[in-house]
């Protein structure tokens, strides 16, 4: 039953009016102390598998999703875990990698029939060339498993071939596939004996990057009757071309037969990314519950804690941080700009009904019977009652599950992660060193500063990581020379070493600039922290600050939770 006193109707809704009101609301936001993270983080911690070093909790993701939460959120610069981090490994799928013994032997002609061809360009489509490249790749990259090879294509000149493959690190805990494409330099001798002289860097084989639609994959090994997960909703495929164009509604009739939900205004803007996700996923959860399309605002305001200007920055795009392609393919969403122009166009003629809700206490269950084309939730100017996530509190918590599996990190960012890991040959250990404000705050973290000093690190890592290893250090310590004492024992690596993966000449830069209508995108603090965290998670041995390096608690003194 609808509680009519809480609901109001409006037949002549004007989007431009909404714009003004929304601006007014945003203008009205004065102060906010509450930001999500304590909750999100304890909660997110709870979703992690026990072997995950970031969080030593064993509670399942379901607990996280249904947790009670009136809690307020502390501002925090930690990066939230997203859906792909939780995808359970399906070992059956991963057991199907291509073993070198699966690749047919390369045949070498006994007769010198190639005599005259030595100077001709290499025929990259030759089956023997293909077999040779596969064998060479499998032998050369010892720490990854190959799942599929694309047919080689001509490289930059007659002596090179480009070949793509799908792989996964063989020790990987994170369930994702990666795509790489490299350039092979090949020589040919008189009897058609091909030899690989060299393999290019990560993503050097640009000509093999795109797989044409419907083109059969070159080589893959699968158990009888099985298909490799091709469904993009199943597992992220990092390195594949991203298509995150905005969805369009094809026709007036499909538009006016649709049912939509939009959230408008509210105090969530410019809060932490974790607050953003907590609120956005509440809206998305409600839309799914109501079987409606969520009309979303793809613009994001990035909180000052992640910006180089130290001011909140508008004009960011959801797609800089998250995988919109995955979202649009696995849920029904529309961009609000697109939506309002369609609405303007068709609403006058079709008199599409709008149902306005201005109290978060109206639950999604109350709205289940509403038939109007659009349900619009408006949020006021008083914090914290104007936070979107309040809709999902109370009684609703047991009904609406936040669909975390729909939020993956941007695959463009994960491609940087894959680039870094590839340069380290997927054979490195990682250490997460939290310093910054926490290390200075002796009241809440009495030992953190000394426990993460270079001297302490040298001694605590010595029985955890073998001398001579590649060690990736994920840290918020800005001055990496701080860690110099570790260099005697380890080959240390930091995010900034890999700047070329996002600088002006990088694929990331080209793609984000294009996405951003030609305006270059800064690799901001949140993106960097995302990449840093994800590289850490790909280390063979992963040493966390809390629990591994110090006995201080993650959230301050006496906040350690019983871990199992
Ligand atoms: C959440 O807040 C509401 C009032 O805002 C209160 O009635 C309720 O008990 C609180 N729930 C929890 C779990 O603290
Ligand atoms: C794993 O994948 C295989 C093959 O795709 C499928 O048959 C099996 O049911 C999956 N197992 C789980 C637990 O999802
Ligand atoms: C490849 O197959 C051979 C023979 O079937 C087996 O001995 C070897 O262990 C396999 N290699 C891997 C990496 O599984
Ligand atoms: C072809 O290109 C590779 C590098 O891509 C270079 O090393 C090689 O010398 C070139 N070969 C010829 C014949 O130009
Ligand atoms: C092909 O060339 C490689 C390297 O140049 C050599 O080791 C191999 O023996 C040759 N094979 C034949 C059959 O000539
Ligand atoms: C991207 O996907 C949309 C459908 O979501 C499709 O219409 C469009 O053609 C695709 N663009 C490219 C470049 O593949
Ligand atoms: C949404 O659709 C599902 C499946 O068609 C149905 O069971 C459910 O009752 C619908 N929910 C609402 C609120 O209409």
């Amino acid at each position: 039953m609808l509680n009519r006193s809480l609901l109001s109707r409006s037949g002549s809704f004007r989007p431009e009016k909404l714009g003004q009101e929304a601006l007014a609301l945003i203008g009205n936001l004065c102060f906010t102390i509450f930001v999500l993270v304590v909750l999100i983080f304890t909660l997110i911690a709870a979703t992690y598998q026990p072997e995950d070093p970031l969080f030593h909790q064993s509670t399942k993701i379901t607990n996280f999703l249904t947790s009670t939460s009136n809690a307020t959120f502390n501002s925090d610069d930690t990066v939230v875990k997203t859906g792909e981090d939780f995808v359970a490994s399906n070992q059956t799928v991963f057991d199907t990698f291509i073993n070198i013994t699966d690749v047919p032997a390369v045949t070498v002609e006994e007769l010198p029939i190639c005599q005259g061809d030595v100077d001709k360009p290499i025929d990259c489509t030759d089956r023997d060339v293909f077999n040779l490249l596969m064998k060479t790749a499998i032998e050369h990259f010892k720490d990854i498993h190959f799942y599929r090879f694309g047919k080689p294509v001509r490289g930059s000149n007659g002596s090179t071939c480009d070949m793509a493959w799908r792989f996964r690190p063989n020790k990987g805990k994170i369930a994702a596939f990666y795509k790489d494409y490299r350039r092979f330099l090949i020589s040919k001798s008189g009897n058609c004996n091909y030899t690989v002289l060299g393999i290019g860097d990560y993503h050097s084989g640009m000509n093999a990057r795109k797989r044409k639609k419907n083109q059969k994959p070159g080589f893959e090994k699968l158990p009888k009757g099985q298909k490799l997960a091709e469904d993009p909703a199943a597992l992220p495929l990092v390195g594949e071309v991203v298509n995150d164009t905005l969805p369009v509604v094809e026709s007036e009739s499909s538009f006016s037969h649709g049912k939509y939900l939009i959230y408008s205004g509210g105090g969530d803007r410019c809060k932490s990314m974790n607050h953003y996700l907590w609120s956005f996923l509440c809206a998305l959860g409600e839309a799914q519950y109501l079987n409606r399309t969520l009309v979303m605002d793809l613009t994001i305001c990035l909180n000052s804690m992640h910006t180089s200007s130290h001011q909140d920055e508008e004009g960011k795009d959801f797609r800089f941080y998250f995988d919109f392609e995955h979202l649009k393919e696995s849920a029904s969403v529309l961009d609000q700009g697109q939506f309002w122009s369609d609405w303007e166009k068709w609403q006058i003629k079709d008199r599409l009904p709008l149902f306005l809700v201005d109290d978060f206490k109206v639950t999604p269950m109350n709205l289940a019977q509403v038939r109007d084309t659009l349900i619009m939730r408006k949020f006021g100017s008083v914090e914290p009652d104007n936070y979107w996530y309040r809709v999902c509190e109370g009684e609703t918590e047991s009904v609406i599950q936040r669909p975390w599996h729909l939020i993956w990190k941007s695959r463009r960012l994960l491609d940087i992660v894959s680039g870094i890991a590839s340069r380290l040959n997927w054979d490195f250990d990682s250490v997460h060193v939290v310093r910054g404000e926490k290390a200075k705050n002796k009241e809440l973290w009495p030992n953190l500063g000394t426990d993460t000093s270079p001297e302490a690190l040298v001694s605590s890592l010595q029985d955890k990581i073998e001398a001579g290893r590649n060690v990736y250090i994920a840290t918020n310590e800005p001055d990496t020379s701080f860690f110099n004492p570790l260099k005697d024992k380890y080959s240390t690596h930091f995010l900034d070493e890999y700047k070329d993966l996002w600088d002006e000449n990088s694929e990331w830069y080209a793609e984000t600039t294009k996405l951003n209508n030609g305006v270059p995108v800064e690799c901001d603090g949140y993106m960097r922290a995302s990449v840093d965290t994800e590289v850490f998670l790909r280390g063979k041995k992963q040493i966390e600050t809390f629990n591994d390096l110090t006995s201080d608690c993650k959230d301050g003194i006496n906040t350690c939770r019983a871990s199992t």
Side-chain angles (χ1 to χ4, degrees):
M1 280 273 102
L2 293 177
N3 183 345
R4 282 285 161 186
S5 68
L6 292 172
L7 307 171
S8 59
R9 249 168 197 283
S10 149
S12 64
F13 174 74
R14 286 276 146 73
E16 59 270 36
K17 212 167 119 201
L18 167 76
Q20 284 162 9
E21 281 174 43
L23 279 180
L25 290 182
I26 291 163
N28 277 344
L29 304 181
C30 311
F31 55 83
T32 338
I33 311 144
F34 310 116
V35 188
L36 276 180
V37 178
V38 162
L39 175 68
I40 283 260
F41 273 84
T42 35
L43 292 173
I44 279 178
T47 67
Y48 249 54
Q49 301 299 315
E51 72 268 20
D52 188 295
L54 274 188
F55 304 105
H56 291 254
Q57 263 89 26
S58 60
T59 336
K60 287 266 150 43
I61 189 163
T62 43
N63 295 9
F64 172 41
L65 299 173
T66 56
S67 276
T68 54
S69 59
N70 268 5
T72 50
F73 297 88
N74 269 336
S75 124
D76 191 302
D77 56 2
T78 328
V79 170
V80 72
K81 291 292 169 295
T82 42
E84 82 279 9
D85 295 326
F86 302 122
V87 177
S89 315
N90 182 341
Q91 207 51 48
T92 328
V93 172
F94 299 143
D95 282 345
T96 60
F97 66 88
I98 300 166
N99 187 326
I100 195 152
T101 55
D102 300 327
V103 179
V106 179
T107 53
V108 177
E109 301 290 341
E110 293 302 334
L111 297 168
I113 52 164
C114 298
Q115 212 69 8
D117 294 348
V118 177
D119 298 327
K120 278 202 184 158
I122 306 275
D123 176 10
C124 296
T125 61
D126 186 298
R127 186 72 217 189
D128 283 340
V129 173
F130 189 16
N131 291 341
L132 172 70
L133 297 191
M134 286 194 282
K135 275 206 188 306
T136 311
I138 295 172
E139 280 166 0
H140 189 264
F141 301 107
K142 298 220 179 303
D143 288 277
I144 62 178
H145 282 161
F146 295 82
Y147 291 82
R148 172 183 295 183
F149 286 100
K151 291 191 179 117
V153 297
R154 189 187 152 102
S156 55
N157 59 33
S159 328
T160 56
C161 296
D162 291 359
M163 182 173 72
W165 55 82
R166 187 183 281 197
F167 73 96
R168 196 172 171 261
N170 51 16
K171 298 257 166 49
K173 288 181 189 143
I174 292 179
F177 286 109
Y178 304 84
K179 183 174 174 173
D180 196 359
Y181 29 93
R182 300 211 189 206
R183 184 151 292 170
F184 292 74
L185 183 59
I186 302 164
S187 80
K188 183 166 66 168
S189 68
N191 55 353
C192 281
N193 183 8
Y194 297 108
T195 314
V196 173
L197 300 178
I199 305 179
D201 292 335
Y202 182 69
H203 284 193
S204 52
M206 285 305 287
N207 295 352
R209 182 175 191 197
K210 278 190 192 154
R211 179 154 68 89
K212 288 195 205 83
K213 275 243 154 75
N214 305 324
Q215 184 193 329
K216 288 257 159 47
F219 183 92
E220 60 183 303
K221 183 198 161 203
L222 293 173
K224 270 209 169 79
Q226 285 192 12
K227 242 181 120 233
L228 191 60
E230 193 66 74
D231 174 9
L235 284 176
L237 180 49
V238 176
E240 194 58 86
V241 178
V242 178
N243 176 0
D244 51 9
T245 53
L246 302 178
V248 265
V249 181
E250 297 300 336
S251 68
E252 173 175 356
S253 108
S254 58
F255 182 83
S256 52
H257 284 108
K259 296 264 181 288
Y260 308 93
L261 172 71
I262 191 168
Y263 279 32
S264 160
D268 308 272
R269 208 155 177 91
C270 303
K271 297 294 192 303
S272 71
M273 196 63 95
N274 305 311
H275 182 143
Y276 171 80
L277 284 177
W278 192 243
S279 282
F280 174 72
L281 284 169
C282 171
L284 191 56
E286 182 178 31
Q288 295 208 308
Y289 170 78
L290 295 173
N291 296 326
R292 285 173 175 265
T293 298
L294 182 71
V295 180
M296 63 181 283
D297 180 359
L298 269 93
T299 69
I300 284 184
C301 170
L302 187 66
N303 185 271
S304 57
M305 69 183 146
H306 299 300
T307 64
S308 51
S309 62
H310 304 294
Q311 308 280 317
D312 293 347
E313 284 179 16
E314 283 286 351
K316 306 290 179 178
D317 192 300
F318 183 89
R319 294 169 290 182
F320 298 170
Y321 308 99
F322 307 108
D323 187 343
F324 185 66
E325 183 173 13
H326 170 61
L327 177 63
K328 75 175 176 180
E329 280 175 358
S330 22
S332 181
V333 293
L334 273 182
D335 171 52
Q336 65 170 15
Q338 181 79 46
F339 175 82
W340 285 131
S341 75
D342 288 349
W343 178 269
E344 272 292 89
K345 215 165 24 181
W346 292 320
Q347 118 95 14
I348 300 161
K349 185 155 139 242
D350 294 345
R351 295 183 184 282
L352 300 175
L354 169 104
F355 192 94
L356 198 63
V357 183
D358 55 14
D359 187 333
F360 72 83
K361 294 197 187 74
V362 179
T363 65
M365 294 76 86
N366 293 147
L367 298 173
Q369 304 307 323
V370 173
R371 289 282 150 260
D372 303 55
T373 302
L374 175 63
I375 294 179
M376 173 186 255
R377 280 193 182 271
K378 291 191 81 169
F379 294 82
S381 55
V382 183
E383 302 198 22
D385 277 359
N386 64 354
Y387 291 159
W388 293 5
Y389 67 75
R390 308 232 43 186
V391 171
C392 291
E393 288 179 351
E395 188 194 349
T396 309
E397 273 183 305
S398 55
V399 181
I400 304 261
Q401 309 250 304
R402 282 185 174 77
W404 281 99
H405 60 282
L406 299 179
I407 297 292
W408 289 354
K409 287 199 182 64
S410 156
R411 276 186 292 125
R412 296 189 182 92
L413 288 178
L414 292 180
D415 203 23
I416 296 179
V417 173
S418 169
I420 295 174
S422 293
R423 289 201 190 158
L424 294 167
N425 291 317
W426 292 89
D427 184 18
F428 61 100
D429 299 319
S430 54
V431 186
H432 185 198
V433 183
V434 176
R435 289 185 54 81
E437 293 305 315
K438 285 188 181 175
K440 288 184 201 141
N441 187 335
K442 296 280 178 227
E443 261 170 45
L444 288 176
W445 294 275
N447 308 304
L448 181 62
T450 40
D451 287 346
T452 57
S453 69
E455 296 71 30
L457 286 174
V458 169
S459 101
S460 52
L461 291 182
Q462 69 179 0
D463 39 290
K464 294 190 166 79
I465 299 180
E466 262 172 71
R469 292 280 296 161
N470 276 322
V471 176
Y472 183 86
I473 300 180
T475 184
N476 59 348
E477 172 63 49
D479 176 17
T480 54
S481 67
F482 177 82
F483 299 101
N484 280 350
L486 288 169
K487 282 188 177 160
D488 295 342
K489 263 191 105 178
Y490 304 109
S491 173
T492 55
H493 302 274
F494 300 91
L495 183 62
D496 275 341
E497 243 169 79
Y498 305 96
K499 270 195 171 82
D500 61 296
L501 292 170
W502 62 86
D503 75 7
E504 288 89 4
N505 302 314
S506 66
E507 280 176 51
W508 181 86
Y509 186 88
E511 290 196 9
T512 51
T513 303
K514 197 167 141 208
L515 180 65
N516 200 31
N517 300 318
V519 182
V521 175
E522 182 200 349
C523 188
D524 61 48
Y526 191 80
M527 298 170 185
R528 293 167 55 92
S530 293
V531 172
D532 215 25
T533 308
E534 293 291 325
V535 176
F536 169 81
L537 290 173
R538 283 158 181 77
K540 284 189 175 167
K541 278 188 189 149
Q542 302 169 4
I543 311 295
E544 234 326 326
T545 302
F546 300 102
N547 287 309
D548 290 336
L549 298 178
T550 180
S551 54
D552 281 1
C553 305
K554 197 161 176 296
D555 298 314
I557 202 154
N558 293 333
T559 62
C560 293
R561 300 169 16 138
S563 60
T564 46

